[in-house]
Amino acid sequence: MDKISDVTIADCEKSTYIKPLRLTYQQNGIKKIWDAMKVHDSVVILIYNVTRHVLVFVKQFRPAVYLCSSKVSEVEGQRVIKHEENPPNLGLTYELCAGIVDKDTSLEQIAQGEVLEECGYKVPLDKLERMCSCRGGVGTSGALQTMYFAEVTDAMRVSQGGGVEEEGEMIDVVDIPVSEAMDFVMDDNVNKPVGMMFAVLWFFQHKNKHYSSKI
Amino acid sequence: MDKISDVTIADCEKSTYIKPLRLTYQQNGIKKIWDAMKVHDSVVILIYNVTRHVLVFVKQFRPAVYLCSSKVSEVEGQRVIKHEENPPNLGLTYELCAGIVDKDTSLEQIAQGEVLEECGYKVPLDKLERMCSCRGGVGTSGALQTMYFAEVTDAMRVSQGGGVEEEGEMIDVVDIPVSEAMDFVMDDNVNKPVGMMFAVLWFFQHKNKHYSSKI
């Protein structure tokens, strides 16, 4: 478990990461205004390790989730989250391996790179199967998310993964046996985005029978 | 199809809706900064009309999705999206009926209100079944989304729905026959958030057999 401390919150007049844009438009003759932000498209990958019949996820501390799950206090005029009262696992999430589309290569190559960086598997491109695409958000951001399924083996594991240290990523790789995956997904005590939940249900509908017949 | 025109884009120094917060914290002794925004928790509802064996969704124009899908041009120093070159259906999404948690009532009551406002069904509370919860986002926002399943009948339809006009909502109610729902969900030409896709797969795993045996 990561040790989280000294959490403070401040208004951020000019964020490098969150840059609102104002759209004005007419819809059926009525003038409207909507504030949105442009975010990168992304790829996410459901990884299935066929050697050990496990699904591979990433676990990490997500400040935004911690903020939404914690009680904010005021100490000497400053907003803080006391980690003694708000355990860090409030901000811990289980997610699919993922990355943003910020390189001029194919989506498959970006997905391949993320599987290696985050989870340590060197997966051949032909073991990456396109699942579908969806919108990452529809309110403030509307970027496209493309979902892949990657079949890996223990022999493809070349590192421990964990993300790019220079980028400050602190990611744990978590194996969940397929036999426990459905309970895991439907467990409300586990923080997870709905994309991960969709991918697991998709696996059970499209893949699990195929693999079950082989083990 | 909604008529969309006169789309302009401008930087928005101070948005009422998108207010970045800066979190500073220590993770395993390393000082970190993360910009996030606090957004409302929400409820989403998968509606199944048992009379006609259809799933009920909402369709609407989403400016953020349109922005991400369109080519932005510059005309006389102003950023615009030309609707002649970027058809409005680029921003059209199919979603679950949904609402934010901004009232001091139960989640079920908020869900009940949204089903009525957006889709026109007066659904009794005991026909709302809690499905699960998830995180709406994990990067910049981490709010909790609680998902419900609502069984409705034609007799419960008391209005056309469409959202609250005073709030500027322009929502179409769309029925998708259960027999077509899986193809609809996996169709990449249809813009939709992954929460809607998850809900439909959940329906097929948990509900459809039960109903199929009755029709």
Side-chain angles (χ1 to χ4, degrees), chain B residues 100-153:
Chain B
I100 58 170
V101 178
D102 61 352
K103 299 179 195 81
D104 195 19
T105 57
S106 73
L107 294 182
E108 285 75 14
Q109 283 171 310
I110 292 172
Q112 185 184 45
E114 293 296 338
V115 173
L116 181 62
E117 273 173 24
E118 294 193 345
C119 300
Y121 290 96
K122 202 164 184 175
V123 59
L125 285 177
D126 66 2
K127 290 290 179 191
L128 274 166
E129 177 186 340
R130 194 178 182 288
M131 201 187 283
C132 58
S133 68
C134 63
R135 292 288 156 182
V138 291
T140 50
S141 67
L144 194 70
Q145 192 168 77
T146 306
M147 304 183 85
Y148 288 90
F149 173 71
E151 184 194 291
V152 301
T153 63

Side-chain angles (χ1 to χ4, degrees), chain B residues 164 181 215:
Chain B
V164 182
I215 54 172

Side-chain angles (χ1 to χ4, degrees), chain A residues 136-151:
Chain A
V138 289
T140 49
S141 67
L144 194 70
Q145 192 168 76
T146 307
M147 305 183 86
Y148 288 91
F149 173 70
E151 184 193 290

Side-chain angles (χ1 to χ4, degrees), chain A residues 16-82:
Chain A
T16 318
Y17 308 99
I18 299 175
K19 288 182 189 165
L21 295 170
R22 176 152 295 178
L23 275 84
T24 56
Y25 59 100
Q26 298 242 8
Q27 185 169 8
N28 302 331
I30 296 168
K31 194 172 171 181
K32 293 196 161 198
I33 289 174
W34 193 272
D35 292 350
M37 27 181 221
K38 197 144 189 183
V39 298
H40 283 289
D41 287 344
S42 62
V43 293
V44 298
I45 311 103
L46 175 66
I47 303 171
Y48 169 64
N49 180 315
V50 68
T51 312
R52 289 180 289 110
H53 206 40
V54 296
L55 295 172
V56 181
F57 301 109
V58 294
K59 187 173 82 167
Q60 62 194 308
F61 177 77
R62 289 289 200 174
V65 174
Y66 189 59
L67 172 67
C68 283
S69 311
S70 297
K71 185 178 162 284
V72 176
S73 310
E74 205 170 306
V75 176
E76 295 171 9
Q78 185 165 50
R79 279 167 290 170
V80 300
I81 299 175
K82 297 180 180 170

Side-chain angles (χ1 to χ4, degrees), chain B residues 26-197:
Chain B
Q26 298 243 8
Q27 185 169 9
N28 302 330
I30 296 167
K31 194 174 170 179
K32 293 198 160 197
I33 289 173
W34 194 272
D35 293 348
M37 27 179 222
K38 198 144 189 184
V39 299
H40 283 289
D41 288 343
S42 62
V43 293
V44 298
I45 310 103
L46 175 65
I47 303 171
Y48 169 64
N49 180 315
V50 69
T51 312
R52 288 179 291 110
H53 206 42
V54 295
L55 296 171
V56 181
F57 300 110
V58 293
K59 186 173 81 167
Q60 60 193 308
F61 177 76
R62 289 290 201 173
V65 174
Y66 188 61
L67 172 67
C68 284
S69 311
S70 297
K71 185 177 162 286
V72 176
S73 310
E74 205 171 303
V75 176
E76 295 171 9
Q78 184 166 49
R79 280 168 288 170
V80 300
I81 300 175
K82 295 180 181 170
H83 68 271
E84 305 85 357
E85 295 169 13
N86 301 280
N89 64 7
L90 290 177
L92 215 58
T93 64
Y94 290 79
E95 303 172 34
L96 297 175
C97 172
I100 58 170
V101 178
D102 61 352
K103 299 179 195 81
D104 195 19
T105 57
S106 73
L107 294 182
E108 285 75 14
Q109 283 171 310
I110 292 172
Q112 185 184 45
E114 293 296 338
V115 173
L116 181 62
E117 273 173 24
E118 294 193 345
C119 300
Y121 290 96
K122 202 164 184 175
V123 59
L125 285 177
D126 66 2
K127 290 290 179 191
L128 274 166
E129 177 186 340
R130 194 178 182 288
M131 201 187 283
C132 58
S133 68
C134 63
R135 292 288 156 182
V138 291
T140 50
S141 67
L144 194 70
Q145 192 168 77
T146 306
M147 304 183 85
Y148 288 90
F149 173 71
E151 184 194 291
V152 301
T153 63
D154 273 352
M156 293 179 197
R157 190 100 194 253
V158 294
S159 79
Q160 289 304 306
V164 182
E165 210 180 314
E166 299 84 63
E167 291 173 12
E169 288 187 316
M170 293 182 180
I171 292 170
D172 286 332
V173 182
V174 179
D175 293 340
I176 302 287
V178 169
S179 59
E180 297 168 18
M182 194 61 90
D183 287 344
F184 180 73
V185 158
M186 300 305 289
D187 181 355
D188 276 352
N189 295 315
V190 178
N191 281 326
K192 50 200 150 20
V194 72
M196 182 268 232
M197 299 163 68

